[in-house]
């Protein structure tokens, strides 16, 4: 919610928030879970990946294409979410249930670059086991579907 609130606070009536307007100090505790994806022609490339993103993916993501991480790319949080966020210029969020009683919570926030073009997504990804869900996301209901965040 912290990241989404920052995006909403920086959104203008006629355009979505820009990358430069997003203030990392407002969501500093979440930086490990953040990545920035950029649309370059027909590819989606990781520009930044936090330490927990690297851990979740099993390697450094920066500079790599989203499709190089097939598990993520094929999930609801991957290509489908990125395409939806770019197409509708709206935040997209959801959950993805994983083996071992874990749930992947994700958020895709479209942001404009310095030229005012929608080329990037500010992403938040966090995997919680069921015990941590009770603490971190007590209102979560197992089996939720993809939804628009705003």
């Amino acid at each position: 919610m912290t990241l989404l609130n920052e995006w909403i606070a920086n959104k203008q009536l006629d355009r979505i928030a820009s990358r430069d307007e997003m203030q990392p100090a407002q969501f500093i505790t979440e930086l490990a879970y953040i990545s920035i994806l950029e649309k370059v022609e027909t590819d989606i490339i990781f520009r930044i990946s936090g330490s927990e993103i690297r851990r979740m993916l099993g390697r450094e993501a920066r500079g790599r294409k989203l499709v190089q991480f097939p598990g993520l790319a094929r999930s609801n949080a991957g290509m489908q979410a990125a395409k939806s966020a770019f197409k509708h210029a709206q935040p997209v969020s959801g959950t993805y249930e994983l083996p071992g009683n874990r749930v992947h919570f994700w958020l895709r926030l479209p942001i404009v670059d310095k030229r005012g073009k929608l080329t990037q997504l500010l992403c938040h990804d966090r995997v919680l086991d069921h015990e941590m869900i009770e603490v971190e996301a007590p209102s979560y209901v197992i089996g939720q579907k993809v939804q628009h965040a705003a």
Side-chain angles (χ1 to χ4, degrees):
M1 286 307 299
T2 302
L3 193 59
L4 179 59
N5 288 338
E6 178 69 8
W7 185 87
I8 291 168
N10 287 293
K11 182 180 184 292
Q12 305 294 318
L13 289 176
D14 59 339
R15 69 165 180 76
I16 61 175
S18 75
R19 181 174 172 182
D20 288 342
E21 291 168 331
M22 299 294 288
Q23 298 297 312
Q26 298 300 319
F27 48 90
I28 198 160
T29 60
E30 299 304 313
L31 291 178
Y33 306 100
I34 289 180
S35 61
I36 293 183
L37 296 175
E38 184 172 24
K39 183 170 45 170
V40 178
E41 297 175 9
T42 60
D43 293 320
I44 297 176
I45 298 171
F46 282 90
R47 289 298 175 213
I48 294 173
S49 64
S51 59
E52 288 297 315
I53 302 301
R54 293 189 297 270
R55 189 178 67 73
M56 185 176 95
L57 295 174
R59 62 183 165 155
E60 174 62 67
R62 188 177 55 203
R64 297 181 192 272
K65 296 177 183 178
L66 179 59
V67 296
Q68 290 179 277
F69 301 93
L72 176 60
R74 287 191 304 263
S75 76
N76 288 340
M79 295 301 284
Q80 178 182 344
K83 287 178 180 179
S84 179
F86 280 125
K87 180 180 179 181
H88 300 289
Q90 290 292 316
V92 179
S93 71
T95 59
Y96 185 70
E97 295 187 24
L98 301 167
N101 290 325
R102 298 174 307 140
V103 179
H104 176 192
F105 291 82
W106 55 270
L107 173 65
R108 306 292 177 253
L109 297 170
I111 51 177
V112 296
D113 60 23
K114 292 179 190 280
R115 299 180 321 257
K117 302 283 185 189
L118 174 52
T119 59
Q120 299 179 337
L121 299 176
L122 182 61
C123 304
H124 186 272
D125 292 85
R126 186 128 184 232
V127 175
L128 298 174
D129 62 28
H130 281 232
E131 292 161 1
M132 285 305 297
I133 289 171
E134 293 175 14
V135 175
E136 301 269 343
S139 62
Y140 174 72
V141 177
I142 302 275
Q144 273 184 269
K145 300 293 181 199
V146 175
Q147 55 193 307
H148 288 277

